[in-house]
Amino acid sequence: MKNILLAVGISMMGIYAAAQTKVIEYPVTGTRTTDALEFYQVEISDTALVLKGDMYSRPNSWVSIAASSVLKGKQTGKEYRLKRATGIKLDNKEYMSSSWNRSFTLQFEPIDKRDKSVDFDEMLTSGNGFQINGISLEKSQQKKKIHCHIEGKVIDNPAYSRLMLMPEGTDPRVKDWISIPVRDGKFSYDLYVDREEPYELYAWSDQMNGGWYPVSFLSENGNMQLTLYSMEKEPEIHSDAPLTSELLRFQKETDDKFMIPLRMERERLEQEGKIETPEMKALYELFKRAKDEQEMNEIRRKAQQLEKEGKAYTEEYRAFEQKSQEVYGKYAEYQNKYIQSNPTLVGLYLLTRRVRRMRGSDESVATYINLYRTVYADKFTDNPMTEYMKSWVSQVTK
């Protein structure tokens, strides 16, 4: 009986200890001085505060966290010392692998219960240390109108260890974006917003390399499931939300009708070696073997001269380019008819995206002004896309 009571007592102690640990996901709400460090979870107990996160950088580049790092209480002004780290060594250059990241945890002294949020500061004398402000120690009470659940997996691409989520049209260099970690090839995030607007999701490593394939969707109540591969293979996307489902349906319809045949024809020309002329191919080979920047620039000059003389590409490829322009024109006309006859948020999104991507004088500005004024000007008045279109029309009609 005594042993049984002891076992029960130990068990109850474990339950009590677990009950005293508070876990908060995505706790950072303030500004930061770096994108190389991300805290995704905080655990708070009577004995410690533990931050779980990741370091991010290019493969073979390094990130370091100083042992002098502290947490600063927002309410009390107290400083809490860093006691230990796991997954990394403090004051050590931690080099990134092909996954572009290193996971770690930081354990700090227990926090005064009066502090509802803290700031992370490396406290370097140089003043160049990492700072991450507004780490919330309270679970947020979501009062948004919309809850969009996003989850998915990454197949055979370790570089996709971090995803970027932001409103479409956002410049991540100057505006905040949401960082979503990929753990064991899986990711999940709950997006809470007040308005239905377009968002895009893509891999941070692709963005760092200067090219990416964003997944676009409309923020609305519902679920999205994604499978991401790499830029060479398009993602698989499924949604049970009506607006995004209709957007995906229309995109597939136009891809099947216009884009996929073009893509297949270009791939055929590439496989048969019928894109560049022999002269241009020879310059490519010289460029691969170039020894310095001066030699590269000379090869670039010769390539530009070939393009100017119309000798860079084969007749078959020039004919393909002409055909492509005709197909793009038909695609734009087909899309414009959809936008006009489907005055929904999907139609407004397609119109806004067309306007954002306008390049050159061949685009008909008057067509899009007329579409907006006659179909959408009096609809969705509190939507960010309407705000953008109003601003755009005002600028181009000055």
Side-chain angles (χ1 to χ4, degrees):
M1 176 62 74
K2 189 174 183 179
N3 289 338
I4 293 174
L5 291 174
L6 179 61
V8 171
I10 293 172
S11 176
M12 292 302 296
M13 287 174 61
I15 293 172
Y16 180 79
Q20 299 307 302
T21 299
K22 182 166 56 175
V23 178
I24 299 167
E25 305 288 345
Y26 295 96
V28 179
T29 61
T31 59
R32 65 190 67 202
T33 61
T34 180
D35 289 333
L37 201 63
E38 201 75 61
F39 296 133
Y40 295 111
Q41 187 184 89
V42 58
E43 292 183 358
I44 308 155
S45 69
D46 293 337
T47 58
L49 182 147
V50 177
L51 286 174
K52 295 185 178 182
D54 283 88
M55 299 173 163
Y56 293 98
S57 191
R58 298 177 182 276
N60 301 318
S61 296
W62 59 269
V63 180
S64 178
I65 295 179
S68 57
S69 299
V70 300
L71 295 179
K72 299 179 179 179
K74 285 281 194 178
Q75 283 69 35
T76 65
K78 291 182 177 180
E79 290 188 358
Y80 305 100
R81 294 175 301 166
L82 175 57
K83 297 174 68 176
R84 64 178 62 87
T86 57
I88 59 170
K89 292 182 179 179
L90 298 172
D91 294 325
N92 186 59
K93 293 180 179 179
E94 299 290 342
Y95 285 88
M96 303 299 112
S97 66
S98 60
S99 68
W100 291 62
N101 79 319
R102 291 287 298 273
S103 297
F104 65 89
T105 62
L106 302 178
Q107 182 178 331
F108 292 85
E109 295 176 306
I111 303 293
D112 189 312
K113 288 181 170 57
R114 291 174 294 172
D115 278 320
K116 306 305 178 185
S117 66
V118 293
D119 296 337
F120 172 86
D121 191 336
E122 283 196 293
M123 298 291 285
L124 296 183
T125 55
S126 65
N128 296 322
F130 295 149
Q131 294 180 358
I132 299 178
N133 299 319
I135 302 172
S136 177
L137 308 183
E138 296 288 322
K139 292 186 178 181
S140 62
Q141 300 297 318
Q142 295 295 343
K143 297 181 181 179
K144 305 292 185 179
K145 297 177 182 177
I146 294 169
H147 172 204
C148 180
H149 178 70
I150 304 162
E151 66 178 41
K153 56 186 177 180
V154 173
I155 305 296
D156 297 331
N157 198 333
Y160 283 16
S161 59
R162 180 194 216 180
L163 304 178
M164 303 175 71
L165 175 66
M166 67 199 78
E168 191 164 315
T170 297
D171 185 344
R173 296 169 298 181
V174 297
K175 289 190 177 182
D176 291 338
W177 45 274
I178 299 167
S179 178
I180 303 176
V182 179
R183 309 269 189 223
D184 299 321
K186 297 179 181 179
F187 58 91
S188 176
Y189 188 78
D190 289 290
L191 177 65
Y192 295 93
V193 294
D194 280 322
R195 300 189 291 184
E196 294 164 323
E197 61 179 304
Y199 273 75
E200 56 186 8
L201 178 78
Y202 50 83
W204 179 73
S205 54
D206 283 350
Q207 194 266 348
M208 291 290 288
N209 284 331
W212 58 95
Y213 188 96
V215 172
S216 298
F217 65 95
L218 290 162
S219 57
E220 55 184 324
N221 286 310
N223 301 284
M224 280 188 59
Q225 293 83 37
L226 303 99
T227 303
L228 306 180
Y229 299 92
S230 66
M231 285 176 50
E232 288 72 34
K233 185 174 180 179
E234 294 186 8
E236 298 174 12
I237 313 167
H238 302 280
S239 174
D240 62 10
L243 294 173
T244 299
S245 295
E246 171 59 14
L247 176 61
L248 293 172
R249 185 207 64 78
F250 181 75
Q251 288 176 333
K252 183 179 187 308
E253 177 186 333
T254 51
D255 277 352
D256 291 345
K257 190 177 185 67
F258 299 103
M259 301 306 166
I260 291 179
L262 273 183
R263 198 177 304 145
M264 292 176 64
E265 187 169 347
R266 194 193 188 286
E267 288 174 358
R268 178 185 62 80
L269 290 172
E270 187 171 3
Q271 290 171 0
E272 295 177 359
K274 293 182 178 179
I275 295 181
E276 300 89 2
T277 61
E279 294 89 344
M280 181 62 94
K281 289 178 181 178
L283 288 180
Y284 281 151
E285 292 303 316
L286 289 174
F287 190 84
K288 291 178 185 178
R289 299 193 296 270
K291 298 178 181 178
D292 52 45
E293 192 65 28
Q294 182 177 352
E295 189 175 352
M296 290 179 181
N297 288 335
E298 178 60 22
I299 296 170
R300 290 190 187 102
R301 187 192 65 77
K302 290 180 180 179
Q304 290 170 356
Q305 185 62 31
L306 280 180
E307 289 191 42
K308 187 176 180 180
E309 296 172 357
K311 298 178 180 178
Y313 301 102
T314 66
E315 289 186 14
E316 292 97 328
Y317 188 71
R318 288 200 297 271
F320 168 77
E321 286 286 284
Q322 179 62 38
K323 179 182 177 181
S324 296
Q325 294 304 313
E326 295 171 1
V327 171
Y328 288 139
K330 292 178 181 178
Y331 165 72
E333 183 180 352
Y334 190 85
Q335 188 178 72
N336 290 345
K337 288 181 179 178
Y338 179 93
I339 292 170
Q340 185 169 26
S341 59
N342 293 271
T344 66
L345 280 174
V346 176
L348 179 58
Y349 166 68
L350 294 172
L351 175 61
T352 306
R353 185 175 64 173
R354 172 66 70 176
V355 166
R356 287 186 192 276
R357 298 180 179 183
M358 284 179 64
R359 296 289 185 272
S361 58
D362 58 331
E363 296 275 11
S364 177
V365 173
T367 296
Y368 300 116
I369 292 176
N370 184 61
L371 272 173
Y372 173 70
R373 285 177 170 170
T374 59
V375 182
Y376 292 96
D378 298 327
K379 294 181 178 292
F380 316 115
T381 54
D382 65 342
N383 193 277
M385 291 184 287
T386 299
E387 295 167 8
Y388 178 86
M389 288 302 302
K390 282 182 179 178
S391 176
W392 177 78
V393 170
S394 177
Q395 291 177 9
V396 297
T397 54
K398 284 182 180 179

